[in-house]
Amino acid sequence: MGMKILHTGDWHLGRQFYGQSLEADHDSVLDQVLGAVRTHAPDVLVIAGDIFDRASPPATAVRQFNNFIRTVHADCDTSIVLIAGNHDSGDRIASYASFADPKRLLIRGPLSPEERPLILEDEHGPVAFSGLPFGNEFSARECYGNNSIACPADVVAAQVACARTYVPGNARWVVAAHVFVANATPSESERPLQIGGIETVPSSVFDGAHYVALGHLHRQQSAGGDHIRYSGSPLAFGFDEAGSTKSLTMVDLAGDGSVTLQQLPINSSRAVRVLKGEFEELLDKGSREPSDDFIKLVLTDKKLLIDPMGRIREHYPNALALTYERDESAEPILLRGSSQAKLDDPVTVVGEFLSQVRGEEGTDDEMALVGSALKQLNNVEERA
């Protein structure tokens, strides 16, 4: 057996799901993480950033995190490596280091010109853990005195180069970082690391590391190698993650630096699901199988319905989004072959719009109503 590492991240404590509190869901997740620590007794727990959902999290989120860290530190022999993510306040995360045992905890908030690792020993020798918190280009230029840093890849390259200088030559090296590695798959719920530029970093920036514990992307996945991995978020934060498997990553780092990975499933108290079909069919299914899961409805009905969300919530109280299949697959509206004469006829333009949007032309009564409304509008403009 080598060094056992439990890798997690992107908890986003304090987050809501379409306006619904996730406090109870996070309580369940943290209980499962704590259970995994107690059951598998890892040497190190790595939390790879985005502990909180925003820089000033609600008191309930801070209390959840404090209780978790206090319990792990008091009841378990597991060391902790913790870094700030782009959603966190680096200074808030750094404040925890003031009370930390430097022999058991590595807590990294803002960037530092000295990325000293936490060094632990197993029967094969030393393992160096470097924590590389999220930092933008501006803070990196100031930290490292390098004005050529222009993008996230430059930031991470500077962090890795700095951290590498403190790693003993005979040590295996584990890096925790909060980045978007090129060719990895994002989710809709992640905040961009950079606006208006390339936010990805190449996996080659981590050359020399035996395991890279990544945070930022919410899908569990490898990124450029089996030893470079996102554990993913323990909860789904968008309907694009419906049906995805959430887990913790258990890593066994062998004496030769190779890794063996095991996924420990996380079971959410409320699943994220997308239900597709005609409304009456979905309503009937809900009456037979009511659920508190987070639900998005994709209706295949051809016509708009009156208050479908209010009716479906009798059985799915957490139905939070609704769309029609025709809207999701609608092609961009193009004025195919429209002449200027047609554009000068507002009634015709409205008719083409209805045809494109709902797949059928306006009825005679509808078009007469449009014509009447436009005529009244013209009369008002003429009197003005």
Side-chain angles (χ1 to χ4, degrees), residues 135-149:
N136 60 39
E137 306 90 282
F138 307 104
S139 58
R141 289 172 198 164
E142 180 180 357
C143 175
Y144 300 112
N146 183 353
N147 289 329
S148 67
I149 294 175

Side-chain angles (χ1 to χ4, degrees), residues 83-365:
I83 64 173
N86 60 303
H87 280 251
D88 297 311
S89 162
D91 290 333
R92 173 181 289 277
I93 299 304
S95 68
Y96 288 98
S98 302
F99 310 99
D101 176 358
K103 294 182 180 180
R104 282 189 58 192
L105 283 82
L106 177 66
I107 298 177
R108 296 287 295 107
L111 300 181
S112 170
E114 295 185 358
E115 290 292 357
R116 297 183 182 274
L118 172 68
I119 298 180
L120 302 175
E121 297 270 350
D122 65 11
E123 62 268 31
H124 304 291
V127 179
F129 290 83
S130 296
L132 309 183
F134 171 78
N136 60 39
E137 306 90 282
F138 307 104
S139 58
R141 289 172 198 164
E142 180 180 357
C143 175
Y144 300 112
N146 183 353
N147 289 329
S148 67
I149 294 175
C151 62
D154 294 341
V155 175
V156 179
Q159 289 180 291
V160 171
C162 180
R164 197 188 308 270
T165 63
Y166 295 98
V167 177
N170 64 335
R172 288 157 287 162
W173 189 22
V174 176
V175 174
H178 195 86
V179 297
F180 187 169
V181 174
N183 300 318
T185 304
S187 302
E188 66 182 18
S189 56
E190 291 130 13
R191 181 185 301 167
L193 297 179
Q194 187 183 62
I195 303 299
I198 298 175
E199 65 173 330
T200 59
V201 305
S203 59
S204 59
V205 75
F206 299 110
D207 285 352
H210 295 94
Y211 184 72
V212 181
L214 295 174
H216 180 55
L217 300 188
H218 295 169
R219 300 178 187 274
Q220 57 154 308
Q221 58 190 297
S222 59
D226 290 341
H227 69 295
I228 305 174
R229 186 163 187 84
Y230 290 95
S231 65
S233 60
L235 289 174
F237 298 121
F239 283 111
D240 65 322
E241 296 181 78
S244 62
T245 301
K246 294 299 183 178
S247 63
L248 310 172
T249 301
M250 178 62 72
V251 183
D252 186 359
L253 177 63
D256 63 359
S258 62
V259 296
T260 302
L261 306 177
Q262 178 187 3
Q263 301 305 313
L264 307 179
I266 290 287
N267 299 310
S268 176
S269 54
R270 292 183 288 187
V272 172
R273 295 194 287 152
V274 176
L275 302 182
K276 182 177 179 180
E278 291 192 356
F279 178 75
E280 291 299 333
E281 294 175 352
L282 298 180
L283 191 65
D284 178 65
K285 181 179 180 180
S287 67
R288 291 181 284 106
E289 302 173 6
S291 172
D292 288 331
D293 290 346
F294 296 123
I295 301 292
K296 175 182 177 180
L297 302 175
V298 179
L299 301 183
T300 58
D301 300 76
K302 299 301 182 182
K303 295 185 178 181
L304 294 176
L305 304 174
I306 298 175
D307 191 27
M309 191 66 91
R311 295 172 63 194
I312 204 73
R313 280 179 175 162
E314 295 177 6
H315 310 298
Y316 297 123
N318 290 316
L320 303 176
L322 182 149
T323 186
Y324 287 83
E325 182 182 36
R326 64 172 181 270
D327 296 333
E328 290 198 331
S329 61
E331 297 179 357
I333 297 174
L334 303 175
L335 296 177
R336 291 170 291 191
S338 294
S339 65
Q340 186 62 43
K342 286 185 177 181
L343 293 177
D344 290 339
D345 180 2
V347 175
T348 301
V349 172
V350 172
E352 288 192 359
F353 174 80
L354 291 175
S355 178
Q356 290 283 347
V357 170
R358 69 185 189 186
E360 59 185 32
E361 297 179 354
T363 65
D364 291 342
D365 289 342

